[in-house]
Amino acid sequence: MKGDITFILGGARSGKSTAAERLARRGDRVLFVATAEALDEEMERRIRIHRRSRPTAWDTLEEPRALVSTLQPRLPHYDVFLIDCITLWVSNLLLSMEGHPDAERRAVDETRRLLELMQDSQAAWIVVSNEVGMGIVPASPLGREFRDALGRVNQMIAARSSRVLLMVAGLPFEASLPSV
């Protein structure tokens, strides 16, 4: 279905990536879009484990920030795009603009551009993100800015998604989208 978006949210280790990969296996030509950067040994190990869990037939694109310009030329080549994850993408965007007074607005603008790209494509999209608004208030201004920006971005993606899943302890809970 053209521009179909499935949005998968949850906390850390809730089963988001596993659920997303299970859904993506239904596609023939899958591009796994990884937004993580291996900035330390522990993250390198996590990335290696994730790579091994994916089917070898899938292509992988590692892009921490420039999703729209990097994905645009690849649209005709895939029928499923799996982005894992929006959390790290927003974090990467904010960190690249740290101290800029309108960093959050720029992240929201990039999200708007990404959603337009998704909806104008012929592909199915599976998008993974963390739900970070259910915990404590972050102690630092950057932490609060990140939580707020990701909350706004998650709301934008959910509003345009045809399906939204909340993962809890490996179990999917499907949200019924209200008609507003």
Side-chain angles (χ1 to χ4, degrees):
M1 181 175 177
K2 180 182 178 184
D4 183 56
I5 302 170
T6 298
F7 191 36
I8 303 175
L9 291 157
R13 296 288 177 246
S14 63
K16 301 178 303 291
S17 295
T18 301
E21 289 175 13
R22 193 174 310 122
L23 288 173
R25 288 177 192 272
R26 298 176 187 167
D28 293 323
R29 299 171 300 144
V30 177
L31 180 63
F32 185 94
V33 182
T35 61
E37 292 182 284
L39 300 177
D40 57 40
E41 286 182 32
E42 189 268 341
M43 194 58 160
E44 286 175 9
R45 183 184 61 75
R46 285 177 180 260
I47 290 171
R48 275 193 309 275
I49 290 168
H50 271 279
R51 281 183 187 143
R52 285 195 304 261
S53 74
R54 294 192 290 268
T56 57
W58 292 4
D59 291 335
T60 298
L61 170 67
E62 295 181 355
E63 178 51 58
R65 282 173 285 286
L67 289 183
V68 174
S69 61
T70 306
L71 290 171
Q72 179 70 50
R74 291 171 169 83
L75 292 180
H77 306 290
Y78 299 95
D79 55 7
V80 175
F81 289 84
L82 193 169
I83 301 176
D84 195 353
C85 76
I86 293 297
T87 311
L88 290 173
W89 179 60
V90 169
S91 175
N92 294 337
L93 289 174
L94 291 178
L95 287 172
S96 72
M97 298 181 274
E98 190 173 358
H100 201 283
D102 64 346
E104 183 179 332
R105 183 192 55 79
R106 288 181 175 191
V108 166
D109 289 346
E110 276 303 297
T111 303
R112 191 171 290 111
R113 290 180 59 227
L114 179 61
L115 286 165
E116 288 168 4
L117 177 88
M118 290 177 185
Q119 292 188 311
D120 290 342
S121 77
Q122 297 298 316
W125 295 80
I126 301 164
V127 182
V128 175
S129 188
N130 284 50
E131 176 52 67
V132 297
M134 300 169 97
I136 61 171
V137 175
S140 71
L142 182 59
R144 290 187 295 275
E145 180 181 28
F146 167 71
R147 183 218 38 212
D148 293 350
L150 184 60
R152 282 183 182 77
V153 165
N154 283 347
Q155 287 184 52
M156 291 172 67
I157 296 170
R160 298 255 190 113
S161 296
S162 55
R163 185 176 186 202
V164 177
L165 300 176
L166 175 65
M167 298 299 298
V168 178
L171 301 173
F173 294 86
E174 189 156 358
S176 58
L177 304 174
S179 54
V180 180

